[in-house]
Amino acid sequence: MPSETIVVVGAGIIGLTTALTLQTHLQPTQSILLIARDFPSTTSLNYASPWAGAHYRPIPGKTPQALRESAQARRTYAAFKKLVSQEPAAGIKEVEGIEYLENPPEEYLERKGVEDAYSSYLDGFRELGSGQDGRLPDGVKWGVRYKTFVVNSPVYCAHLLRRFVLNGGRKMTYDLAGLNEAFYLDANVKTVVNCSGMGLNDPKSFIIRGQTCLVRNPCPITLTRQNSDGTWSFCIPRPLDGGTIIGGTKEPDNWDPNPSPETRAKLLSNAAKWFPFTAESKGQFDVMRDIVGRRPAREGGVRIEVERIVDGKTVVHAYGAGGRGFELSVGVAEDVVGLMFEKGILRTKALL
């Protein structure tokens, strides 16, 4: 039987996780070729994953999209927990997560939504503001604490790629003109998995500009605070001495590649009100650099769908996670693999 190549397009967090997950379900006659314009060794404004904070933070909601993402996030949480204990060099660390909201949206005040997104599975979860947990900070109306994970995103992406290659995966640096081109980059390609972030010309896709600031100040927790005007402020320590991310902005369809000094000043000013400075810092941030990245988002959330095209060829779409790529990564990859089994693209390995 001739060998078959499955091409995965995109080496962001979704593409890397999907390629690695697919490897565990291949037939002996199948292999994976990972094609991308950018890999973890490169930096590009449009290659969002290495710029990410990143931390695991649930988001409650009751829409179909919110419920789907909640299920994907829950599976990612379990995978991160296992990875932390087995591979400490992967760049993921368990820390305490704290959230303070001054003007909480309705979904944060609904008991069922909070149970589904938070308390039903997060280790150490507790709501703040009553009993032994005492009162909330001034102006805060909703607060929680729980065990969560922070990620040194460049290290973790490099870790995933290294595992993929060591497991026999191949990679190619290539800037596709269109998805159909991917079918011609190796012999006998019948399936292309589209993890390209923006989907390659999907009209529902759009970018969300984010600006953050990387500082040297150490931080033992990740804290997210919603301000009364609806803006968000957060700190995310990067494991393995990677500094701390202070953020951040979410600016849909803003293509400005330049860091704004005014935005930096506002981010640091907001965070300085609650950041756990060490004594030697004297209440000042030691700035390493400004970060601007473009998160690849999509109306309706992540697209996970099979598209049959001519000549028996198939595209499996998996893109558009916006700013939640790390939180959803394992869940999305598992959903992609499940869909490929359902459609007969993957087959159960024969028992020897």
Side-chain angles (χ1 to χ4, degrees):
M1 182 181 296
S3 61
E4 175 192 352
T5 299
I6 297 174
V7 170
V8 176
V9 177
I13 185 60
I14 298 296
L16 290 167
T17 308
T18 299
L20 199 57
T21 305
L22 277 171
Q23 279 185 320
T24 64
H25 298 283
L26 296 179
Q27 293 282 319
T29 57
Q30 294 176 311
S31 64
I32 298 178
L33 174 63
L34 180 63
I35 294 174
R37 180 193 61 221
D38 301 298
F39 282 94
S41 59
T42 64
T43 56
S44 166
L45 185 66
N46 297 309
Y47 180 38
S49 294
W51 302 111
H55 63 166
Y56 182 95
R57 178 180 171 268
I59 298 178
K62 55 186 177 182
T63 66
Q65 176 188 347
L67 294 174
R68 181 175 64 249
E69 290 184 357
S70 182
Q72 292 164 341
R74 183 184 297 230
R75 283 177 278 147
T76 303
Y77 185 87
F80 280 1
K81 185 189 301 187
K82 183 177 180 181
L83 192 61
V84 164
S85 65
Q86 295 181 348
E87 300 186 55
I92 300 178
K93 182 180 180 180
E94 183 182 78
V95 299
E96 184 172 44
I98 303 173
E99 296 185 34
Y100 292 140
L101 276 61
E102 296 186 9
N103 186 21
E106 179 182 342
E107 54 266 28
Y108 286 87
L109 303 177
E110 294 181 353
R111 175 61 53 183
K112 180 66 166 59
V114 172
E115 288 178 355
D116 289 344
Y118 287 89
S119 60
S120 61
Y121 72 97
L122 292 176
D123 294 335
F125 175 86
R126 63 188 190 275
E127 293 191 52
L128 305 176
S130 61
Q132 64 180 0
D133 289 310
R135 71 181 187 88
L136 294 167
D138 291 343
V140 174
K141 297 179 180 178
W142 186 88
V144 293
R145 288 176 178 257
Y146 50 89
K147 293 294 183 182
T148 190
F149 302 98
V150 291
V151 183
N152 187 321
S153 46
V155 170
Y156 183 52
C157 288
H159 167 80
L160 294 176
L161 180 61
R162 183 168 60 251
R163 284 181 56 196
F164 170 75
V165 172
L166 289 174
N167 288 345
R170 293 174 294 137
K171 65 185 183 75
M172 176 190 295
T173 302
Y174 196 88
D175 192 1
L176 288 174
L179 276 176
N180 284 341
E181 189 179 10
F183 288 99
Y184 299 93
L185 296 182
D186 204 56
N188 199 25
V189 178
K190 298 179 181 178
T191 303
V192 171
V193 184
N194 178 17
C195 302
S196 59
M198 295 289 285
L200 287 172
N201 301 317
D202 183 342
K204 292 187 177 181
S205 292
F206 61 98
I207 60 107
I208 301 176
R209 180 186 186 273
Q211 180 171 335
T212 60
C213 194
L214 179 64
V215 300
R216 291 186 177 85
N217 305 68
C219 184
I221 60 170
T222 177
L223 192 152
T224 302
R225 181 154 182 159
Q226 182 215 36
N227 305 307
S228 58
D229 62 0
T231 60
W232 294 84
S233 183
F234 56 79
C235 67
I236 305 171
R238 278 185 163 180
L240 305 176
D241 299 319
T244 300
I245 295 289
I246 303 295
T249 69
K250 293 183 178 181
E251 306 165 68
D253 297 314
N254 183 344
W255 290 86
D256 186 354
N258 304 300
S260 162
E262 293 79 15
T263 298
R264 178 214 271 199
K266 184 176 181 180
L267 294 177
L268 297 182
S269 175
N270 284 338
K273 299 172 185 176
W274 46 259
F275 188 84
F277 288 107
T278 55
E280 62 271 18
S281 69
K282 299 180 180 179
Q284 299 294 318
F285 286 113
D286 184 1
V287 176
M288 297 170 66
R289 63 169 299 171
D290 296 303
I291 295 174
V292 173
R294 292 171 179 157
R295 308 175 182 101
R298 183 177 182 273
E299 296 174 15
V302 183
R303 182 186 183 189
I304 302 177
E305 182 181 359
V306 167
E307 180 182 359
R308 303 289 188 183
I309 60 177
V310 296
D311 300 328
K313 294 180 171 62
T314 301
V315 174
V316 183
H317 297 288
Y319 62 87
R324 302 200 71 195
F326 283 83
E327 294 161 312
L328 307 182
S329 56
V330 174
V332 168
E334 290 178 349
D335 285 350
V336 169
V337 169
L339 184 60
M340 291 174 72
F341 272 114
E342 178 186 326
K343 300 298 182 180
I345 302 167
L346 293 174
R347 298 173 297 280
T348 303
K349 290 182 180 179
L351 296 177
L352 300 179

